[in-house]
């Protein structure tokens, strides 16, 4: 647990905000931690290691910016993205599944994807490739980013504030968050394969 805290502290605000930016809209950023990172930094803010208001503001801005970068990539490079060969960091399969997810859920997919790893990275790209106007995308992007930032970071802060000795449980909680957040994505992927 101390290693996790030390790693996040060493990364600092710049590392936290950078991880959120890349995970939110750059195709090779899908493997970065999202929900678990937000929960962890919220917890650390409850221990006065980080400023909670600064975290929420910075994470929100980077989440919106990251999704906007993803949208721009999709808009400018759409045909290349769908014809690009698979590599270590990019899989066409992720884009195709995000496309089906977006088609099924429409505009609310931008909000829902914010809470689903992998989809969080690729739905903005799909929105940029498709016919969703940027103004519409930005509206849903802002709503989803605000809900995600406040709920996940706030949960870490709240639990860290009210449960004595929660730092002993931080690593198991983070692992549980990773599992819980991957279940909906895995379910969507399973349904799309069927």
């Amino acid at each position: 647990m101390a290693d996790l805290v030390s790693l996040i502290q060493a990364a600092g605000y710049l590392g936290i905000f950078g991880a959120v930016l890349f995970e939110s809209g750059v195709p090779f950023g899908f493997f970065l931690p999202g929900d678990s990172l937000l929960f962890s930094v919220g917890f650390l803010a409850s221990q006065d290691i980080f400023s909670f208001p600064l975290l929420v503001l910075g994470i929100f801005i980077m989440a919106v910016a990251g999704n906007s970068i993803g949208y721009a990539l999709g808009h400018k490079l759409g045909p290349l993205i769908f014809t690009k060969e698979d590599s270590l960091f990019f899989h066409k399969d992720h884009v195709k599944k995000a496309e089906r997810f977006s088609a099924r859920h429409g505009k609310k997919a931008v909000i829902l994807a914010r809470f689903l790893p992998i989809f969080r990275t690729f739905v903005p790209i799909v929105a940029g490739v498709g016919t969703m106007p940027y103004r519409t995308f930005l509206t849903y992007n802002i709503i989803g980013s605000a809900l995600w930032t406040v709920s996940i970071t706030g949960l870490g802060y709240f639990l860290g504030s009210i449960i004595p000795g929660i730092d002993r449980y931080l690593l198991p909680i983070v692992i549980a968050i990773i599992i819980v957040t991957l279940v909906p994505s895995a379910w969507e992927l399973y349904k799309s394969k069927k």
Side-chain angles (χ1 to χ4, degrees), residues 100-111 123 132 140:
R100 288 192 292 270
F101 180 80
S102 293
R104 186 177 312 124
H105 296 289
K107 295 172 189 167
K108 69 179 178 182
V110 177
I111 296 172
V123 164
M132 185 181 292
Y140 288 92

Side-chain angles (χ1 to χ4, degrees), residues 113-190:
R114 186 39 78 189
F115 293 88
L116 300 170
I118 301 173
F119 289 100
R120 174 167 46 240
T121 303
F122 290 100
V123 164
I125 295 169
V126 169
V129 172
T131 57
M132 185 181 292
Y134 180 69
R135 187 178 298 232
T136 303
F137 171 80
L138 183 61
T139 301
Y140 288 92
N141 178 13
I142 288 170
I143 294 167
S145 295
L147 291 171
W148 181 66
T149 300
V150 172
S151 65
I152 307 295
T153 311
L155 180 63
Y157 185 85
F158 175 72
L159 291 178
S161 300
I162 65 162
I163 300 175
I166 193 174
D167 54 325
R168 292 188 306 241
Y169 310 108
L170 184 59
L171 192 57
I173 290 171
V174 167
I175 291 168
I177 289 171
I178 291 168
I179 292 167
V180 166
T181 57
L182 285 176
V183 166
S185 294
W187 179 249
E188 284 295 330
L189 295 176
Y190 171 75

Side-chain angles (χ1 to χ4, degrees), residues 7-175:
L7 181 65
I8 295 171
Q9 282 184 280
Y13 291 105
L14 189 60
I16 294 164
F17 299 156
V20 171
L21 178 73
F22 280 98
E23 197 241 0
S24 295
V26 179
F28 58 81
F30 72 90
F31 65 90
L32 291 168
D35 304 319
S36 56
L37 176 64
L38 267 61
F39 179 87
S40 299
V41 299
F43 164 77
L44 293 175
S46 77
Q47 309 300 303
D48 296 322
I49 294 172
F50 292 110
S51 161
F52 183 72
L54 182 57
L55 281 175
V56 169
L57 179 64
I59 290 168
F60 168 72
I61 290 169
M62 292 299 111
V64 171
N67 270 2
S68 293
I69 290 168
Y71 181 95
L73 285 172
H75 189 68
K76 297 286 183 198
L77 306 173
L80 291 174
I81 290 171
F82 281 95
T83 57
K84 182 172 172 37
E85 290 302 313
D86 286 347
S87 67
L88 179 63
F89 294 114
F90 180 85
H91 298 280
K92 274 189 287 194
D93 232 21
H94 295 320
V95 177
K96 289 176 183 169
K97 287 167 184 159
E99 187 178 36
R100 288 192 292 270
F101 180 80
S102 293
R104 186 177 312 124
H105 296 289
K107 295 172 189 167
K108 69 179 178 182
V110 177
I111 296 172
L112 294 173
R114 186 39 78 189
F115 293 88
L116 300 170
I118 301 173
F119 289 100
R120 174 167 46 240
T121 303
F122 290 100
V123 164
I125 295 169
V126 169
V129 172
T131 57
M132 185 181 292
Y134 180 69
R135 187 178 298 232
T136 303
F137 171 80
L138 183 61
T139 301
Y140 288 92
N141 178 13
I142 288 170
I143 294 167
S145 295
L147 291 171
W148 181 66
T149 300
V150 172
S151 65
I152 307 295
T153 311
L155 180 63
Y157 185 85
F158 175 72
L159 291 178
S161 300
I162 65 162
I163 300 175
I166 193 174
D167 54 325
R168 292 188 306 241
Y169 310 108
L170 184 59
L171 192 57
I173 290 171
V174 167
I175 291 168

